[in-house]
Amino acid sequence: MKKIFLPISFIVYLVFLFTYSTAMANEEAQYNIVHKNNIYEIRQYSDRLVAQVINKGNNNSFRKLFNYISGENNSSEQIKMTVPVTQTKKDNVLLMQFYLPSKFNKQSTPIPTNSDVKISTIKKGYFAVIEYSGRSSDKNFEKYSKILKQKLLEDKISIKGNAIKATYNSPFTLPVFRRNEAMFNIDWKN
C-alpha cells in the first residue's frame, strides 16, 4: 500500500501544481498583433500604467511591488495581479514593473506608501516580441533577446531601447508550461 501511495500522491501533487499555475486568470496588457512571422510578432500597445521599483541588486523589488498591490498604498486597496511582470534597463538602472489593471488611470491609481515604488506610464508604441518557454533565467532571456535582435536587424527594423524581459506565470508553474518573452520597443511603419 505504501508503494502505491507515493506515486499517487506525487501525481496528485503534479496535477495540483499544473491546475494552480494555469488557472490563475490574470488580466493581461492588451495589444494588437500587426505583423507576425515564424520568429517574432509585432504588437501595438496603448499607454499602460505600471508600478515600478529600481532593482538595487538585493532581490526585494518583487516583494516591494507585491506589497504595494497587497494594500501598502494610500487607500489600503488590494490590487489584482496582472501579467506580464517586466524587467528592463533604463538609464543604466534595472527596473521591475507590475502592470496595473485597466480599471485604473493616473488619477484613480492608489499611491504607494513605500517611496521606492513609483507609478509610471509606458507610452503607446510598437514592440517586437519573441516567446519562449522554460525558466525565466537571465541566460534564457539573453539567448532569446539576441535571436530577436539579430532577426530585427536582418529585417531592417530599428530598435529603440534595451530588451525587456516579460514573465507570465507563477513560480509554481512547471517550466515546460511557462510563457516568457523578450521584447524590444521598435520603430514600425505599416
Side-chain angles (χ1 to χ4, degrees), residues 34 38 42 51 59 79-80 89 100 120 130 136 143 172:
V34 297
N38 62 340
I42 304 218
N59 277 340
I79 301 168
K80 289 189 176 183
K89 276 190 178 176
L100 295 175
S120 186
I130 187 170
S136 63
K143 172 185 172 183
F172 302 111

Side-chain angles (χ1 to χ4, degrees), residues 63-189:
R63 174 61 48 203
K64 289 176 182 178
L65 291 169
F66 185 78
N67 289 344
Y68 165 71
I69 67 170
S70 296
E72 283 189 14
N73 54 66
N74 67 333
S75 59
S76 299
E77 182 176 349
Q78 291 197 2
I79 301 168
K80 289 189 176 183
M81 183 80 180
T82 62
V83 292
V85 173
T86 56
Q87 295 178 66
T88 189
K89 276 190 178 176
K90 185 176 181 182
D91 302 324
N92 285 329
V93 174
L94 186 62
L95 295 174
M96 179 176 278
Q97 302 167 319
F98 278 16
Y99 288 72
L100 295 175
S102 59
K103 73 176 187 173
F104 292 112
N105 60 40
K106 199 72 166 166
Q107 292 73 36
S108 67
T109 301
I111 299 168
T113 55
N114 183 332
S115 62
D116 288 343
V117 179
K118 306 290 184 203
I119 304 302
S120 186
T121 301
I122 298 176
K123 295 293 182 190
K124 67 181 179 180
Y126 295 95
F127 292 79
V129 180
I130 187 170
E131 190 173 318
Y132 58 98
S133 62
R135 293 178 3 101
S136 63
S137 67
D138 289 340
K139 183 178 177 182
N140 275 345
F141 172 65
E142 289 169 16
K143 172 185 172 183
Y144 285 95
S145 295
K146 286 179 184 176
I147 292 169
L148 178 58
K149 186 175 186 176
Q150 181 61 39
K151 186 63 176 158
L152 291 172
L153 292 173
E154 288 172 13
D155 293 346
K156 298 183 181 2
I157 296 174
S158 179
I159 297 170
K160 301 176 353 183
N162 295 309
I164 302 164
K165 180 183 192 179
T167 55
Y168 287 81
N169 305 99
S170 79
F172 302 111
T173 304
L174 296 173
V176 70
F177 297 116
R178 290 184 187 174
R179 174 182 172 196
N180 305 301
E181 295 173 346
M183 311 170 74
F184 283 103
N185 188 349
I186 59 166
D187 280 324
W188 179 253
K189 312 285 189 264

